[in-house]
Structures are given as structure tokens and as C-alpha cells.
Amino acid sequence: SHTAMQGSAGASLAVHLDQITLFALAWSVGASCDASSRQQFSEELRRLAIQADLGAALPPSGSHVHDFMYSLQEGSWVLWAHSAPTFAETTQSTALYEEMFVPTAESTSICTLLGHLLPCGKHVLCAGPPGSSKSTTIGAFLNSLSIHCYDGHLSWAHTRVALSAYSKADDVRSLLDDRLERRRWGVHGPRLGGRCIFFIDDLSSPQNGGGGGTSSPLELFRQWFGHGGWHHL
């Protein structure tokens, strides 16, 4: 019975495989495209998909592929703008006017992708020009973790680490370690049964250090992402 259920789920997923592949391609290879280059990426993706006999799996023509998400529940492409939650002023009645968060197509796409990637333990880089509400959008998603449960983990902790031009690796390391529990010497982690997300804000702020043209906090993160930790400083 278990094998039959697995086969049924696999067959059901296979129906959507082409669309899922195109959606993943747009938000991986094409994730760093800005507003002007999204048009070029969409045209090239459509050309290659048609050559590969995948034209029927593409989103509707006339819009960028980044304007759509593929919904497994509906089995079709859906505009991000149509997936954005309805703004309810009553739910934010205690917030200041400048602190109110109004969902948009862009914020909905970011929050949805974060919801797919972070529970899988993937590091995510959100790039964009200053003043494009990156920090506000990510903050709104992290606050929603106390409401939603991802991957069976009921306990989610998140900490915002704001970098500046004068941030040093040792200060950042101490800040990260202080937010975690010490398991044994040199090993720290979130509370047992939970997960922890660090939101590193203003990643490009630290000044370049000595040789190599890299700043020490960024080198710290590179060791973390590449090796799962860092040497004792």
C-alpha cells in the first residue's frame, strides 16, 4: 500500500514536472535579473523551451516568466499579483503608519521562495537597489514563522544582524554565538527541536580589509556557507 501511494504521488508530480523545472530555472538562473533584463531572460527562456518542445509548459505569453508562480494545487500558472494576501488594516491597527506592511507581487514572490528554501536549510541572498523594501519584506516573512509551521518544526528563532562599515568578524561571531546554545566546546546550535535563522542585513556595508579585497565578516560567512563553521578567532 505504501509503495502504491508513493507511485501515485510520483505519477501525479510527473504531470507538473516540466512547469516546475521552468519555474525553478526562472528563479535560480534568472533570479539575479533586474527589471530590464527580465524581459531578455523571458524571451530567451521561451525560445529555448519551444526548441525543447516545452512550449505548452510555459506561462501565458505577453508577460515575464518572473511574473508567475506555478501552483501545484491549481495545476496552472498564477500571477504573483493574484497570490498576494489581501491587506487588512485592522490586523495592523497597532502599527505606526510607516510600519504597516502592504503585500505586493514582489513581496509575495520573495516570501514564497523563502518559505520553500529556508526550511530546506538553503542560504538565500536577496539582492536589490537601496530602498526596495528588502529588509521589510524579509522581516515580515520571519515574523510569520511564529504563526506558520514549516517542516514540522514548531520552534523557529530568528535574529537580525545589521552590519555596518565598521563591523568586525570577531564581533559578528560573538553575536551569532550568543544567540545559540552551546552544545560542546566549539559547537553551538539552536534549542533542541528548533531551528534558527540569521537575517544578515546590509551585507555589502563592511569595508574591505587587507589583502584579497574581502572584508572579515564576509569571509566569516563564506567559511560558514562553505564549510559549516569557522576557525576559532
PDB file of all heavy atoms in Angstrom, residues 162-167 201-208 215 218:
ATOM      1  N   ALA A 162      22.572  43.444  11.846  1.00  0.00           N
ATOM      2  CA  ALA A 162      22.781  44.578  10.948  1.00  0.00           C
ATOM      3  C   ALA A 162      24.267  44.900  10.876  1.00  0.00           C
ATOM      4  O   ALA A 162      24.890  45.231  11.892  1.00  0.00           O
ATOM      5  CB  ALA A 162      21.989  45.787  11.435  1.00  0.00           C
ATOM      6  N   LEU A 163      24.835  44.774   9.701  1.00  0.00           N
ATOM      7  CA  LEU A 163      26.247  45.085   9.502  1.00  0.00           C
ATOM      8  C   LEU A 163      26.423  46.565   9.195  1.00  0.00           C
ATOM      9  O   LEU A 163      25.505  47.246   8.736  1.00  0.00           O
ATOM     10  CB  LEU A 163      26.815  44.242   8.367  1.00  0.00           C
ATOM     11  CG  LEU A 163      26.746  42.725   8.532  1.00  0.00           C
ATOM     12  CD1 LEU A 163      27.401  42.034   7.335  1.00  0.00           C
ATOM     13  CD2 LEU A 163      27.406  42.276   9.825  1.00  0.00           C
ATOM     14  N   SER A 164      27.622  47.045   9.452  1.00  0.00           N
ATOM     15  CA  SER A 164      27.971  48.422   9.146  1.00  0.00           C
ATOM     16  C   SER A 164      29.366  48.451   8.533  1.00  0.00           C
ATOM     17  O   SER A 164      30.020  47.405   8.397  1.00  0.00           O
ATOM     18  CB  SER A 164      27.928  49.288  10.413  1.00  0.00           C
ATOM     19  OG  SER A 164      29.003  48.951  11.278  1.00  0.00           O
ATOM     20  N   ALA A 165      29.823  49.638   8.201  1.00  0.00           N
ATOM     21  CA  ALA A 165      31.155  49.764   7.596  1.00  0.00           C
ATOM     22  C   ALA A 165      32.256  49.351   8.558  1.00  0.00           C
ATOM     23  O   ALA A 165      33.368  49.036   8.133  1.00  0.00           O
ATOM     24  CB  ALA A 165      31.371  51.204   7.142  1.00  0.00           C
ATOM     25  N   TYR A 166      31.953  49.341   9.859  1.00  0.00           N
ATOM     26  CA  TYR A 166      32.978  49.059  10.864  1.00  0.00           C
ATOM     27  C   TYR A 166      32.785  47.703  11.530  1.00  0.00           C
ATOM     28  O   TYR A 166      33.398  47.424  12.545  1.00  0.00           O
ATOM     29  CB  TYR A 166      32.970  50.163  11.924  1.00  0.00           C
ATOM     30  CG  TYR A 166      33.158  51.544  11.332  1.00  0.00           C
ATOM     31  CD1 TYR A 166      32.073  52.391  11.139  1.00  0.00           C
ATOM     32  CD2 TYR A 166      34.413  51.978  10.914  1.00  0.00           C
ATOM     33  CE1 TYR A 166      32.235  53.642  10.568  1.00  0.00           C
ATOM     34  CE2 TYR A 166      34.595  53.229  10.346  1.00  0.00           C
ATOM     35  CZ  TYR A 166      33.491  54.053  10.174  1.00  0.00           C
ATOM     36  OH  TYR A 166      33.658  55.290   9.596  1.00  0.00           O
ATOM     37  N   SER A 167      31.950  46.862  10.969  1.00  0.00           N
ATOM     38  CA  SER A 167      31.724  45.534  11.538  1.00  0.00           C
ATOM     39  C   SER A 167      32.988  44.685  11.422  1.00  0.00           C
ATOM     40  O   SER A 167      33.658  44.680  10.384  1.00  0.00           O
ATOM     41  CB  SER A 167      30.568  44.834  10.827  1.00  0.00           C
ATOM     42  OG  SER A 167      29.362  45.525  11.027  1.00  0.00           O
ATOM     43  N   ASP A 201      21.594  41.737   7.577  1.00  0.00           N
ATOM     44  CA  ASP A 201      21.146  42.924   6.856  1.00  0.00           C
ATOM     45  C   ASP A 201      22.345  43.786   6.457  1.00  0.00           C
ATOM     46  O   ASP A 201      23.358  43.816   7.154  1.00  0.00           O
ATOM     47  CB  ASP A 201      20.195  43.731   7.739  1.00  0.00           C
ATOM     48  CG  ASP A 201      19.269  44.613   6.925  1.00  0.00           C
ATOM     49  OD1 ASP A 201      19.359  44.575   5.681  1.00  0.00           O
ATOM     50  OD2 ASP A 201      18.456  45.337   7.522  1.00  0.00           O
ATOM     51  N   ASP A 202      22.218  44.478   5.336  1.00  0.00           N
ATOM     52  CA  ASP A 202      23.281  45.355   4.817  1.00  0.00           C
ATOM     53  C   ASP A 202      24.590  44.590   4.636  1.00  0.00           C
ATOM     54  O   ASP A 202      25.654  44.999   5.128  1.00  0.00           O
ATOM     55  CB  ASP A 202      23.485  46.554   5.753  1.00  0.00           C
ATOM     56  CG  ASP A 202      22.269  47.454   5.797  1.00  0.00           C
ATOM     57  OD1 ASP A 202      21.598  47.580   4.763  1.00  0.00           O
ATOM     58  OD2 ASP A 202      21.975  48.028   6.863  1.00  0.00           O
ATOM     59  N   LEU A 203      24.505  43.489   3.907  1.00  0.00           N
ATOM     60  CA  LEU A 203      25.662  42.602   3.734  1.00  0.00           C
ATOM     61  C   LEU A 203      26.835  43.290   3.048  1.00  0.00           C
ATOM     62  O   LEU A 203      27.995  42.931   3.275  1.00  0.00           O
ATOM     63  CB  LEU A 203      25.230  41.371   2.927  1.00  0.00           C
ATOM     64  CG  LEU A 203      26.222  40.226   2.791  1.00  0.00           C
ATOM     65  CD1 LEU A 203      26.518  39.609   4.146  1.00  0.00           C
ATOM     66  CD2 LEU A 203      25.683  39.168   1.833  1.00  0.00           C
ATOM     67  N   SER A 204      26.560  44.299   2.233  1.00  0.00           N
ATOM     68  CA  SER A 204      27.628  44.960   1.482  1.00  0.00           C
ATOM     69  C   SER A 204      28.255  46.123   2.240  1.00  0.00           C
ATOM     70  O   SER A 204      29.121  46.813   1.686  1.00  0.00           O
ATOM     71  CB  SER A 204      27.084  45.464   0.134  1.00  0.00           C
ATOM     72  OG  SER A 204      26.028  46.390   0.350  1.00  0.00           O
ATOM     73  N   SER A 205      27.846  46.354   3.477  1.00  0.00           N
ATOM     74  CA  SER A 205      28.338  47.524   4.213  1.00  0.00           C
ATOM     75  C   SER A 205      29.775  47.421   4.710  1.00  0.00           C
ATOM     76  O   SER A 205      30.500  48.413   4.682  1.00  0.00           O
ATOM     77  CB  SER A 205      27.420  47.822   5.411  1.00  0.00           C
ATOM     78  OG  SER A 205      26.148  48.234   4.969  1.00  0.00           O
ATOM     79  N   PRO A 206      30.244  46.266   5.229  1.00  0.00           N
ATOM     80  CA  PRO A 206      31.603  46.212   5.785  1.00  0.00           C
ATOM     81  C   PRO A 206      32.665  46.631   4.782  1.00  0.00           C
ATOM     82  O   PRO A 206      32.594  46.288   3.600  1.00  0.00           O
ATOM     83  CB  PRO A 206      31.764  44.739   6.183  1.00  0.00           C
ATOM     84  CG  PRO A 206      30.376  44.267   6.412  1.00  0.00           C
ATOM     85  CD  PRO A 206      29.536  44.988   5.412  1.00  0.00           C
ATOM     86  N   GLN A 207      33.635  47.383   5.281  1.00  0.00           N
ATOM     87  CA  GLN A 207      34.729  47.836   4.427  1.00  0.00           C
ATOM     88  C   GLN A 207      35.667  46.685   4.133  1.00  0.00           C
ATOM     89  O   GLN A 207      35.813  45.743   4.915  1.00  0.00           O
ATOM     90  CB  GLN A 207      35.496  48.971   5.115  1.00  0.00           C
ATOM     91  CG  GLN A 207      34.674  50.234   5.333  1.00  0.00           C
ATOM     92  CD  GLN A 207      35.467  51.302   6.061  1.00  0.00           C
ATOM     93  OE1 GLN A 207      36.508  51.026   6.643  1.00  0.00           O
ATOM     94  NE2 GLN A 207      34.962  52.526   6.026  1.00  0.00           N
ATOM     95  N   ASN A 208      36.307  46.748   2.959  1.00  0.00           N
ATOM     96  CA  ASN A 208      37.293  45.736   2.607  1.00  0.00           C
ATOM     97  C   ASN A 208      38.458  45.782   3.575  1.00  0.00           C
ATOM     98  O   ASN A 208      38.899  46.846   3.994  1.00  0.00           O
ATOM     99  CB  ASN A 208      37.803  45.946   1.179  1.00  0.00           C
ATOM    100  CG  ASN A 208      36.743  45.596   0.155  1.00  0.00           C
ATOM    101  OD1 ASN A 208      35.799  44.880   0.446  1.00  0.00           O
ATOM    102  ND2 ASN A 208      36.900  46.116  -1.055  1.00  0.00           N
ATOM    103  N   SER A 215      36.217  41.628   3.096  1.00  0.00           N
ATOM    104  CA  SER A 215      36.085  42.109   4.471  1.00  0.00           C
ATOM    105  C   SER A 215      35.935  40.910   5.393  1.00  0.00           C
ATOM    106  O   SER A 215      35.369  39.888   5.027  1.00  0.00           O
ATOM    107  CB  SER A 215      34.882  43.043   4.600  1.00  0.00           C
ATOM    108  OG  SER A 215      33.713  42.402   4.163  1.00  0.00           O
ATOM    109  N   LEU A 218      32.485  39.105   5.908  1.00  0.00           N
ATOM    110  CA  LEU A 218      32.051  38.350   4.742  1.00  0.00           C
ATOM    111  C   LEU A 218      32.859  37.058   4.595  1.00  0.00           C
ATOM    112  O   LEU A 218      32.328  36.034   4.158  1.00  0.00           O
ATOM    113  CB  LEU A 218      32.180  39.194   3.476  1.00  0.00           C
ATOM    114  CG  LEU A 218      31.400  40.511   3.458  1.00  0.00           C
ATOM    115  CD1 LEU A 218      31.412  41.111   2.059  1.00  0.00           C
ATOM    116  CD2 LEU A 218      29.972  40.314   3.939  1.00  0.00           C
TER     117      LEU A 218
END
